[in-house]
Amino acid sequence: MADNINGDNFKECYRRHIADRDAGLKHLKFPFASLRPGQAEVMQEVSKCLVNGTTYLLNAPTGFGKTQVCLLPALSCLGKHLIKRIYYFTNQEAQRVLPVKLLQQLNTCNELHLWSLTMYSVQKSCSHHDFCYFSVNKKLLQEIAQNYLRTCKEHIDFEQVQTLAANYNVCPYLLQNKLAEYMDLVILDYNYLLDPLQTLACFKSDKEKYALLLDEAHNLRRRGENIFHCQINLNTFVAYRRRLQKLQAASSAANAKNLSELIGRLDLLLDFCRKIAQLLQQKDIDRNKLSACLEISPANSLLSQDSSREKQVINFYSRQPLPQFNQLFLNFWQLWQEFWQSEKSVFAENWGELRKFQDEIAKFKRLQFLITNYCPGFINIFSYLTNAKGHTLLFTIHCLDAMPLIKAALPANSAKIFFSATLLPPDYYKKMLCSAAERCIYHAAPSPFDPAKRRVALLAYADLSYSNRQSNYELVAKSLLAYLKIVGGHLLVFAPSYRYAEILAQRIKLILPQNMRLIVQTANTAAVKEQFLRTLQDRTDPSPLLALAVMQGSFSEGLDLPHKSITAIAIISVNYPAKSDLLSLAQEYYQSAYNTAGQNINDEYDNQILAADYYENTPENTTKLPNLSPAYLFTQLYPGFSKILQACGRLIRSEEDEGDLLLLDARFTQPQFQDLLKEAFGSYAVLDSLAEYVAWLRNLPKSN
């Protein structure tokens, strides 16, 4: 292969590719008959932002064509050499087909000479990627990539990378990373931008100007919180020690002393963890002793217990770093890395034993990053768990707010285009996604579809706060079945939890007419989802169908159903998160970090926010509802409403679609929801009784 590379200089091949690419992009034709209303304006704005390096936030409804209006201007800028490369980021694997489909459509009316690649996660690409660096031949990877690109005429997908890697016996993960260095367009997961363990090298400097297109941008905060999170079981350290002892026999004599010291450092860490476990086992746990052991202030700690039939959990939370634990771990990890480098040859010859280290190494790397990049949005947690299998100690670093770390990961010299159907309200997402120093433009695009085809109703007679749910199951069941009796079709219902869905399904079955069907999402698995969707899409059975899913599952987002699969969508409850220790800590954090001086919120009010179960009930003895506080807005109202909008977006996805949205909860009539609903839907009906609702239904068109 090397002779082939040298025989035809790749630089000349690449130069010809750029010339052909630019010629093809110079007169780029739109692949559809005409632009939808609002698309031309957005494409002009996106072009300006790409040229100026401005951050752009696009809120556009499902069906607007967000991929088109963001990717086409980027391709035009690429052909003019205004940007080096386009990176199209997605939150889910299924969403990566959208830009690929658009490329295929563009190729039907253009002669594109574009090198494009879809990258996949490290875990999917290579099961032992951490160890491929032992035997990696960087020159060979470069030769394979360059040789392949000489004749590349189509988009490079996962199967092609896997096949190419297998042909040359190289790591597919490392190969796709090498291919990405030559691409014009790379379609990839958020991880490659945000995850410090997977970030592409090009994002670590501002030497080049890229176009960063971030699809489904409302998910960034939640994904970041998952990325900057790590949990380790004490048993992991114990098992790791055993494996190190097994490797001791294979270690070189020169490094036997280093291995002994490494095990010694791990023993110090284990002893410290056992000491914490002993303090958490005591009948009367002394929070002051725990705090002193961890070298933190008791005022920055919180102790709680949670018991059930299956298990008992004691949680100790710390708002500040843990100096002694952190230092013990870093001492161990530093020596482990030195030992790892010195023993490469031994590791390479013992793949079977080495593979057992895989999961621990990934966790240790993440823990090391979180400890050394600790920020105020982190919470340390020691959890002592007791169940039928015995006892164990868990250590967790939980991320309450990932946005500062996400902003720091975004290259300053590159234009960022964030787009989604649920970037509401504007000020919230500007604060979340844009730094204070950068210029940010927000654009709300209109729906391209006839608004008369989507009818929205608030069922204000249904009080679905947690304390009143038990008495309203029958009312909800009657309301849902009333729709099917009068209108018919397929009604997709989103319940707030699996438990609620289970109880509601039981109540529905008691009054379900024989000519109607009921299906229930029982779990969030691929098999359950496939069967659920198959039934929902099947229109051969004309009988009315009630499909009961769970809001927190995979059905509320990224679900693209064929025309007439859904007649209506019903949302049960305002989708606030369940009460928990972490929710209270998050409220406390956001109240402190994002509070403005003009709010004048006093200590007593703060305590009411943290103590009250106000995601369901109003704090007593106060007329000041926390509706405008960051604690409420950032942890409950906005994240919950984003989920609701995503679920509602499953209804109208094309010009042919038509249907109804039913929002069941009296709390939707509260002022803070009214503002959001008007911005999202424009007009809607507020129905104060079951009788009003039935009368409203009788005026709707019947389902075919």
Side-chain angles (χ1 to χ4, degrees):
M1 185 190 300
D3 293 338
N4 189 18
I5 292 285
N6 294 329
D8 181 11
N9 189 280
F10 183 74
K11 288 183 178 180
E12 177 60 24
C13 173
Y14 186 73
R15 187 194 63 78
R16 291 196 304 269
H17 161 71
I18 295 299
D20 292 341
R21 181 202 70 184
D22 294 347
L25 293 175
K26 188 174 183 179
H27 302 290
L28 192 61
K29 297 178 182 178
F30 194 68
F32 306 104
S34 62
L35 291 171
R36 286 176 172 169
Q39 285 188 327
E41 179 185 358
V42 171
M43 286 196 285
Q44 290 175 359
E45 291 182 349
V46 170
S47 294
K48 291 179 182 178
C49 290
L50 290 172
V51 172
N52 299 328
T54 306
T55 297
Y56 187 76
L57 276 64
L58 171 63
N59 182 69
T62 301
F64 179 79
K66 294 183 288 293
T67 299
Q68 302 160 23
V69 299
C70 293
L71 185 54
L72 290 176
L75 289 172
S76 179
C77 289
L78 180 70
K80 298 173 183 176
H81 292 236
L82 298 174
I83 54 176
K84 171 73 173 179
R85 187 175 297 119
I86 303 169
Y87 289 97
Y88 189 108
F89 295 94
T90 69
N91 181 51
Q92 299 179 34
E93 185 175 311
Q95 294 165 333
R96 278 165 235 164
V97 302
L98 297 177
V100 176
K101 183 178 179 181
L102 179 59
L103 288 180
Q104 294 170 346
Q105 292 167 332
L106 285 169
N107 270 314
T108 62
C109 56
N110 297 275
E111 290 188 14
L112 290 185
H113 297 274
L114 206 67
W115 285 352
S116 59
L117 163 73
T118 297
M119 295 183 69
Y120 284 83
S121 67
V122 181
Q123 292 77 13
K124 181 172 182 177
S125 299
C126 183
S127 60
H128 50 270
H129 57 277
D130 277 318
F131 311 120
C132 293
Y133 293 101
F134 290 143
S135 55
V136 62
N137 185 325
K138 293 183 179 180
K139 184 177 180 181
L140 176 61
L141 284 176
Q142 177 175 296
E143 291 178 351
I144 295 170
Q146 292 181 352
N147 196 51
Y148 181 78
L149 290 174
R150 292 175 190 280
T151 57
C152 180
K153 301 294 184 183
E154 59 184 357
H155 178 76
I156 305 173
D157 59 20
F158 177 76
E159 288 73 18
Q160 290 168 291
V161 173
Q162 291 287 318
T163 301
L164 186 62
N167 289 342
Y168 293 99
N169 195 29
V170 296
C171 172
Y173 168 67
L174 296 178
L175 180 58
Q176 74 169 0
N177 282 18
K178 176 55 67 175
L179 284 166
E181 295 176 8
Y182 303 101
M183 294 296 107
D184 304 307
L185 168 64
V186 183
I187 304 165
L188 64 175
D189 188 85
Y190 288 159
N191 280 359
Y192 285 103
L193 176 65
L194 306 179
D195 191 337
L197 305 187
Q198 298 183 38
T199 304
L200 297 182
C202 60
F203 299 138
K204 297 178 181 179
S205 71
D206 293 325
K207 292 182 179 180
E208 300 287 354
K209 185 177 180 180
Y210 305 114
L212 308 184
L213 312 182
L214 296 102
D215 194 2
E216 301 298 327
H218 64 278
N219 282 307
L220 275 169
R221 176 184 157 188
R222 186 176 59 202
R223 274 296 297 276
E225 290 168 0
N226 291 333
I227 288 171
F228 301 111
H229 172 98
C230 183
Q231 183 176 86
I232 290 184
N233 192 318
L234 174 63
N235 293 335
T236 297
F237 291 128
V238 175
Y240 212 69
R241 189 186 190 283
R242 294 195 191 102
R243 288 169 188 161
L244 288 175
Q245 286 180 311
K246 286 184 179 180
L247 283 177
Q248 193 169 15
S251 177
S252 65
N255 279 290
K257 183 179 179 181
N258 289 342
L259 183 57
S260 177
E261 184 180 353
L262 179 63
I263 294 174
R265 291 192 184 185
L266 183 55
D267 285 340
L268 291 174
L269 182 59
L270 280 168
D271 290 343
F272 182 82
C273 291
R274 291 186 181 110
K275 187 176 181 180
I276 298 299
Q278 289 172 359
L279 290 172
L280 289 172
Q281 290 179 60
Q282 295 178 2
K283 185 176 181 181
D284 297 317
I285 302 172
D286 190 328
R287 187 159 63 100
N288 290 329
K289 280 187 177 181
L290 270 167
S291 299
C293 181
L294 292 167
E295 298 181 355
I296 63 171
S297 169
N300 284 320
S301 67
L302 176 70
L303 186 66
S304 72
Q305 299 187 38
D306 183 20
S307 299
S308 65
R309 288 184 178 181
E310 293 79 20
K311 63 181 181 180
Q312 179 186 40
V313 183
I314 302 171
N315 292 312
F316 182 83
Y317 303 90
S318 170
R319 300 179 183 88
Q320 68 183 84
L322 310 176
Q324 188 174 357
F325 174 83
N326 291 350
Q327 193 58 58
L328 287 171
F329 172 77
L330 292 176
N331 288 344
F332 159 72
W333 182 242
Q334 179 183 359
L335 189 60
W336 161 251
Q337 290 178 302
E338 294 173 2
F339 175 75
W340 180 277
Q341 291 296 321
S342 65
E343 293 293 297
K344 280 184 179 179
S345 59
V346 174
F347 287 135
E349 294 170 2
N350 292 273
W351 284 101
E353 185 63 29
L354 187 61
R355 290 283 295 277
K356 298 176 183 178
F357 285 87
Q358 174 70 31
D359 291 339
E360 289 91 339
I361 289 174
K363 287 182 180 180
F364 290 168
K365 283 183 176 180
R366 192 166 304 281
L367 182 59
Q368 183 267 341
F369 174 85
L370 296 179
I371 287 175
T372 54
N373 293 272
Y374 201 87
C375 65
F378 288 172
I379 292 290
N380 293 292
I381 312 169
F382 276 106
S383 303
Y384 189 73
L385 172 66
T386 304
N387 56 23
K389 296 181 179 179
H391 310 275
T392 191
L393 181 72
L394 304 175
F395 174 70
T396 307
I397 294 183
H398 179 81
C399 182
L400 300 174
D401 180 15
M403 295 317 299
L405 291 167
I406 290 175
K407 292 175 186 177
L410 297 172
N413 192 40
S414 297
K416 279 80 72 175
I417 311 296
F418 300 98
F419 53 104
S420 169
T422 58
L423 294 184
L424 289 175
D427 288 345
Y428 167 67
Y429 280 102
K430 285 181 181 179
K431 188 181 290 288
M432 289 291 102
L433 300 175
C434 306
S435 62
E438 67 182 337
R439 185 170 176 238
C440 178
I441 296 176
Y442 180 95
H443 181 91
S447 173
F449 309 128
D450 183 358
K453 288 190 173 184
R454 182 187 64 191
R455 284 82 53 179
V456 184
L458 310 188
L459 278 57
Y461 58 83
D463 184 353
L464 297 180
S465 58
Y466 190 79
S467 57
N468 291 304
R469 283 182 185 172
Q470 294 294 329
S471 58
N472 279 315
Y473 280 111
E474 185 176 353
L475 179 61
V476 172
K478 287 181 178 179
S479 299
L480 298 175
L481 293 177
Y483 183 91
L484 293 177
K485 289 177 182 177
I486 298 172
V487 180
H490 289 181
L491 174 59
L492 176 59
V493 181
F494 288 102
S497 67
Y498 285 101
R499 178 59 179 161
Y500 184 93
E502 179 184 358
I503 297 174
L504 180 60
Q506 294 171 358
R507 301 298 177 88
I508 291 174
K509 289 176 182 178
L510 294 176
I511 56 174
L512 185 71
Q514 291 185 349
N515 68 328
M516 294 185 187
R517 296 171 292 152
L518 171 68
I519 57 172
V520 184
Q521 177 195 358
T522 56
N524 195 30
T525 63
V528 170
K529 182 176 181 178
E530 182 180 355
Q531 179 60 41
F532 190 94
L533 295 181
R534 189 182 301 119
T535 304
L536 197 60
Q537 295 173 27
D538 183 7
R539 298 293 295 192
T540 58
D541 187 339
S543 61
L545 171 68
L546 196 159
L548 184 54
V550 177
M551 178 66 78
Q552 302 301 330
S554 58
F555 293 84
S556 60
E557 187 168 343
L559 194 64
D560 195 359
L561 295 170
H563 176 52
K564 291 187 176 182
S565 296
I566 304 174
T567 309
I569 287 176
I571 307 294
I572 299 176
S573 178
V574 293
N575 196 40
Y576 287 158
K579 184 181 179 181
S580 68
D581 295 335
L582 288 175
L583 175 62
S584 294
L585 289 165
Q587 291 165 358
E588 179 188 52
Y589 165 80
Y590 280 99
Q591 188 63 30
S592 172
Y594 291 89
N595 186 27
T596 59
Q599 285 184 284
N600 294 323
I601 299 178
N602 56 39
D603 292 338
E604 181 182 358
Y605 181 54
D606 284 341
N607 291 334
Q608 287 173 332
I609 290 175
L610 295 174
D613 184 10
Y614 73 88
Y615 75 102
E616 300 294 358
N617 303 305
T618 301
E620 297 179 359
N621 303 321
T622 177
T623 58
K624 293 183 178 179
L625 293 176
N627 292 343
L628 298 180
S629 70
Y632 170 67
L633 297 177
F634 291 4
T635 67
Q636 298 178 283
L637 179 63
Y638 295 156
F641 191 72
S642 178
K643 267 288 188 183
I644 290 171
L645 288 184
Q646 281 295 319
C648 292
R650 306 309 100 204
L651 183 65
I652 307 293
R653 306 184 69 83
S654 69
E655 289 86 349
E656 296 79 22
D657 289 334
E658 181 176 3
D660 310 299
L661 296 176
L662 311 176
L663 306 180
L664 287 79
D665 198 326
R667 289 173 292 181
F668 281 120
T669 62
Q670 294 174 354
Q672 68 271 24
F673 277 104
Q674 292 291 291
D675 293 339
L676 292 171
L677 290 169
K678 288 175 184 176
E679 198 163 3
F681 302 124
S683 62
Y684 49 86
V686 179
L687 308 174
D688 294 321
S689 68
L690 184 58
E692 283 188 36
Y693 168 59
V694 171
W696 181 78
L697 289 177
R698 295 191 188 283
N699 291 321
L700 299 180
K702 303 297 182 289
S703 174
N704 297 326

